[in-house]
Amino acid sequence: MIAGSIVFIHVPKTGGSTFASILRRSFPASDVVLQSALKEKYLAEVDAQLRAAAMRPQLGSIHGHVPLSYRPQFPPEARYVTLLRDPVRRQYSHYRWVYTRAVQNGSAPPVAEALKRGRLVDNLQTRMLCGLDNPLTRPADDELLTAARAELDRLAFVGIVERFPESMLLAQERLGLRHVAYRRRNVRGTSHALEDVEALRAHNLLDLELYAHATALVEADLDRLRPQAVALARADEAMSARRLVADRAALGYVADYSVSAVGARIRRALAWR
């Protein structure tokens, strides 16, 4: 049984698009997708969306690039969840997204230069999860990290992108989600040079510590779920590659995804009438 709204703090490039698709299938008629509060031009729209959400009689999930500092505007009974990713991989993926066209035509600045230009916020996972006011402009110091660690300890669910299938099964246990089968969405490569790794690590020292803390929090549970996660990962691979799957357990997840996706579309269409 799902009790209370689920608020997903979606840090960019942490597998959130895939997890959000699971939430949309779980709450097809009561799901709110927020604009990005990380961009100043959307702040007024985010506030309007949250005011409108507060008036809805049913609210299953809320998700978007919105820091935990927005908590006073969320439902009081809400449960908060998030996914973390290896900080070097996360920010490199974010770099490739920010400079998509430049990367494609070979004119993108070197990673170290891009970090200096300020378009890529340092320690973004720590900033979004610290719960403090003005998290994007605060100094990257021990106060920020301490606050983020304490908030992680209180969240209803914390997942790790590098253990994504296990994390989805843990979300099912912790949140009572009915469907967790998925197809990967918005996936980007993460191959990078050694000098890029060094620059990215230096730019995300707090995130490296927070990621280690998160991994320690959930590692035992993730290891316990590994046997089941193999089938879920096989189902994802088969659906993403559009090929048949022979494993019976994986086939069950493929069927679950297909039936739940169709059911969500129907329920959403009926709600809009």
Side-chain angles (χ1 to χ4, degrees):
M1 178 67 69
I2 299 173
S5 303
I6 294 172
V7 176
F8 171 34
I9 305 300
H10 178 184
V11 181
K13 317 315 295 179
T14 59
S17 297
T18 303
F19 185 48
S21 73
I22 291 173
L23 293 177
R24 283 195 294 272
R25 282 187 288 119
S26 298
F27 309 98
S30 58
D31 174 75
V32 175
V33 183
L34 298 172
Q35 277 285 7
S36 174
L38 306 182
K39 297 182 179 180
E40 189 171 351
K41 64 180 179 179
Y42 294 137
L43 293 181
E45 185 171 346
V46 171
D47 290 339
Q49 284 183 289
L50 288 171
R51 287 195 298 272
M55 302 296 291
R56 295 176 63 168
Q58 289 186 328
L59 190 56
S61 71
I62 308 173
H63 48 92
H65 299 318
V66 177
L68 190 56
S69 56
Y70 269 73
R71 182 165 39 202
Q73 298 186 53
F74 291 126
E77 77 287 356
R79 294 176 297 160
Y80 294 86
V81 306
T82 198
L83 290 167
L84 281 85
R85 185 179 183 183
D86 174 88
V88 170
R89 293 180 178 178
R90 190 213 69 78
Q91 190 154 68
Y92 186 74
S93 181
H94 202 181
Y95 156 80
R96 289 181 62 85
W97 179 80
V98 168
Y99 292 97
T100 298
R101 291 185 180 179
V103 167
Q104 291 172 348
N105 63 32
S107 63
V111 169
E113 177 61 29
L115 298 178
K116 291 178 183 178
R117 293 182 184 183
R119 292 187 65 189
L120 296 163
V121 179
D122 67 288
N123 300 293
L124 186 58
Q125 296 180 97
T126 304
R127 293 182 180 282
M128 289 189 66
L129 295 167
C130 69
L132 301 175
D133 293 336
N134 305 313
L136 300 183
T137 56
R138 297 178 72 98
D141 55 19
D142 287 343
E143 181 185 7
L144 205 69
L145 179 59
T146 299
R149 279 175 171 165
E151 293 292 356
L152 276 193
D153 293 344
R154 291 191 285 265
L155 295 190
F157 160 71
V158 176
I160 300 296
V161 172
E162 284 71 24
R163 302 284 298 276
F164 196 82
E166 296 94 324
S167 293
M168 292 305 96
L169 293 170
L170 183 60
Q172 186 173 44
E173 285 188 356
R174 296 276 177 88
L175 305 175
L177 300 177
R178 183 176 178 185
H179 307 289
V180 292
Y182 61 89
R183 291 179 64 180
R184 284 166 288 176
R185 297 169 184 264
N186 201 21
V187 177
R188 293 176 182 267
T190 57
S191 176
H192 36 258
L194 179 60
E195 59 267 26
D196 293 340
V197 172
E198 293 173 350
L200 291 165
R201 287 183 63 86
H203 202 241
N204 293 280
L205 295 177
L206 300 185
D207 271 9
L208 287 166
E209 293 197 44
L210 188 69
Y211 179 77
H213 181 73
T215 302
L217 276 179
V218 300
E219 199 165 39
D221 279 324
L222 298 184
D223 287 341
R224 172 177 57 82
L225 293 167
R226 177 62 181 167
Q228 297 167 256
V230 170
L232 184 55
R234 285 175 179 167
D236 163 47
E237 290 170 2
M239 289 189 290
S240 298
R242 296 186 178 182
R243 59 175 173 76
L244 296 176
V245 58
D247 182 276
R248 180 176 297 180
L251 184 59
Y253 281 120
V254 172
D256 175 76
Y257 177 87
S258 302
V259 171
S260 63
V262 171
R265 291 192 186 97
I266 294 173
R267 289 167 60 193
R268 193 174 290 115
L270 291 174
W272 287 343
R273 287 185 177 182

